[in-house]
Amino acid sequence: MRILIIGSGGREHAIAWAFHRSSTPTTLFIAPGNGGTHQVGTNVELDISRAEEVVRFVEDTGIELVVIGPEQPLVDGLADTLRRVGTPVVGPSAAAARLEGSKAFSKDFMQRHGIPTAAYRSFERDQLDDALAFVRTEGAPIVVKASGLAAGKGAIVCETLKDAEAALMDLLGEGLLGDAASTVVVESFMHGEEASLFVLTDGQDFVLLPTAQDHKRIGEGDTGPNTGGMGAYAPAPVMTEDLIREAVTRIVQPTLTGMQSEGYPYQGILYVGLMITPDGPKVVEYNCRLGDPETQVVLPMLDCDVVQLFHGLATGTLNSVNVAVHQGASACVVMASAGYPGAYEKGKDIHGLDADNTDDCIVFHAGTRKTDVGWVTSGGRVLAVSARGQNLKEALDKAYGRLSRITFEGATFRRDIGHKGLERTDQLL
Ligand code: GLY
């Protein structure tokens, strides 16, 4: 099967890797791809923001399946354009991708369908005074979110009223995030532990992938600024079987039937960011794609043919696909450039990448570039070292063991990935 994967991160390398080890013979193209995807397929220099350029490549190359990794092309309608020309695609329509692309839409949608989430109010650019009055009434902690896509910078958890006022002045007053924050959602702070739930749906049926937990802050002990994600593990022990069932009944099913009844049937991957509160699971946010770095732990947990799974999603035949999951755990640790998530330098030599990947230990590339003399860094998040084991401790030991043999100047990583999971399963010795 000839497959095109859209994107250039660790997530897209993980998707390409899972397809490459699938029992379905594939020819993989990745646009634009990265140093890692180049090892399992052909990187293609396409401008993915130009749908007509993608369609031309799909038609000229005889592509039979397109997987769209990042949110921006989904929100821009790339999946709609591809479906119009008859190409099976993994990714929702632009109308359905509003669940991620517009926080104001998703909060209103959850309210219409009684889906548990934090209480909220939305404010437009000309309502700064109303928004300030609202946070002064509500008090802190409180969360201020840009409604639109803001590359992970749009959700500000405000510990004090002063922080909340400053966030509103920045977003609504100064226009700091531009159009992404022309509407701002202010919502109550939820107490609890976060977990990620991944739903694959073909518009009729759905399957769940293993749950995962991400580590968003740069510093150990969940300190410092937010990042795209510094590591992850799967499954997340906080998501017990009972909680998964509750999340399916109270969140996943009403979301899918709600989208259907409103005329935007969801066909793609729905990533539900959950807070496990004392009142049960509540939605922090929806994403219309797989997570990064959660994909780097969730796909290695699948002992089934991932090409068939994604093709089933794209062709409305998910009910005929078997999902088999490894009965252990997986973990990944992200290695980042010094300074990330702020300014960082590129072009640092990377050593220790020559060891072969195995089914149980894989180095996924994100910000790397191959030069004539070897690998160099080319991004903030550089690599995700991923491993699976019989349990979380074994997976973490393998990942950190492999990571210890990789070096580059200023390499930054967290040493406490998976600690909450180890505590919950009594593996923290
Ligand atoms: N890891 C968080 C995300 O992909 O949005």
Side-chain angles (χ1 to χ4, degrees):
M1 192 181 303
R2 295 170 82 77
I3 303 176
L4 172 65
I5 300 167
I6 303 281
S8 62
R11 167 183 50 210
E12 286 74 30
H13 186 192
I15 296 169
W17 168 85
F19 285 177
H20 182 68
R21 75 196 269 265
S22 147
S23 42
T24 304
T26 55
T27 306
L28 300 178
F29 299 90
I30 309 94
N34 63 32
T37 58
H38 176 65
Q39 296 169 326
V40 288
T42 305
N43 288 348
V44 198
E45 277 191 33
L46 287 180
D47 180 352
I48 60 172
S49 68
R50 292 166 53 89
E52 67 280 9
E53 203 172 302
V54 177
V55 168
R56 196 175 321 119
F57 177 81
V58 163
E59 293 186 332
D60 290 352
T61 317
I63 296 292
E64 297 158 273
L65 176 68
V66 179
V67 180
I68 304 175
E71 60 277 17
Q72 188 68 59
L74 291 163
V75 168
D76 292 345
L78 182 56
D80 306 71
T81 308
L82 288 163
R83 285 200 182 98
R84 271 198 295 276
V85 296
T87 306
V89 54
V90 174
S93 65
R98 282 180 302 167
L99 283 181
E100 176 166 2
S102 166
K103 305 284 176 274
F105 171 83
S106 70
K107 295 294 287 191
D108 292 348
F109 171 84
M110 286 186 264
Q111 191 170 56
R112 285 196 291 280
H113 295 278
I115 295 168
T117 187
Y120 75 104
R121 266 190 65 185
S122 301
F123 299 92
E124 304 295 322
R125 207 26 86 69
D126 59 0
Q127 293 178 298
L128 174 61
D129 289 342
D130 297 339
L132 288 169
F134 180 69
V135 295
R136 285 172 191 145
T137 312
E138 294 296 306
I142 196 159
V143 182
V144 174
K145 288 181 176 172
S147 178
L149 295 183
K153 297 190 177 72
I156 306 162
V157 178
C158 306
E159 305 288 348
T160 65
L161 181 56
K162 220 163 145 245
D163 293 344
E165 289 171 344
L168 288 171
M169 305 281 252
D170 283 347
L171 300 188
L172 288 178
E174 304 295 324
L176 193 66
L177 294 175
D179 286 349
S182 57
T183 303
V184 161
V185 172
V186 181
E187 62 178 33
S188 313
F189 179 83
M190 291 191 280
H191 292 271
E193 195 171 326
E194 285 191 57
S196 308
L197 191 63
F198 298 99
V199 184
L200 267 55
T201 176
D202 62 6
Q204 293 297 326
D205 295 293
F206 71 89
V207 296
L208 299 182
L209 298 184
T211 58
Q213 196 171 64
D214 183 14
H215 297 64
K216 293 201 170 74
R217 304 293 192 101
I218 186 76
E220 281 155 25
D222 295 326
T223 54
N226 263 339
T227 68
M230 292 301 291
Y233 61 99
V238 65
M239 287 301 288
T240 59
E241 288 298 319
D242 282 350
L243 281 173
I244 293 175
R245 258 193 301 278
E246 187 177 345
V248 166
T249 311
R250 298 183 62 204
I251 295 170
V252 174
Q253 283 169 333
T255 301
L256 300 182
T257 52
M259 292 299 279
Q260 187 111 40
S261 68
E262 293 197 10
Y264 324 113
Y266 198 98
Q267 183 175 16
I269 297 164
L270 181 67
Y271 156 7
V272 190
L274 295 171
M275 185 68 78
I276 311 308
T277 74
D279 300 327
K282 294 187 179 183
V283 178
V284 177
E285 63 181 13
Y286 293 110
N287 296 300
C288 59
R289 53 177 171 84
L290 281 168
D292 187 341
E294 292 96 323
T295 308
Q296 293 89 310
V297 291
V298 167
L299 293 187
M301 287 290 287
L302 297 183
D303 275 334
C304 55
D305 189 326
V306 179
V307 168
Q308 291 307 323
L309 185 59
F310 279 44
H311 189 254
L313 184 165
T315 54
T317 56
L318 205 48
N319 64 355
S320 65
V321 180
N322 164 46
V323 182
V325 177
H326 167 66
Q327 290 308 304
S330 68
C332 85
V333 184
V334 168
M335 298 182 82
S337 298
Y340 174 80
Y344 55 84
E345 291 178 7
K346 299 180 183 176
K348 306 292 180 194
D349 292 326
I350 310 173
H351 303 283
L353 282 180
D354 354 306
D356 282 341
N357 286 330
T358 65
D359 276 359
D360 277 354
C361 191
I362 319 114
V363 180
F364 292 119
H365 292 230
T368 67
R369 196 166 52 82
K370 186 87 186 271
T371 68
D372 291 344
V373 286
W375 293 98
V376 295
T377 64
S378 67
R381 287 190 292 173
V382 176
L383 300 163
V385 184
S386 184
R388 71 179 196 178
Q390 291 309 308
N391 54 39
L392 180 56
K393 182 162 186 337
E394 191 180 300
L396 284 163
D397 286 346
K398 283 189 200 171
Y400 278 111
R402 179 75 182 88
L403 180 148
S404 69
R405 298 195 297 280
I406 302 173
T407 55
F408 58 88
E409 187 190 317
T412 302
F413 61 91
R414 283 181 59 166
R415 290 168 178 78
D416 65 345
I417 300 303
H419 271 217
K420 282 188 193 145
L422 292 176
E423 273 168 30
R424 282 193 179 274
T425 51
D426 290 330
Q427 295 176 68
L428 195 58
L429 301 176

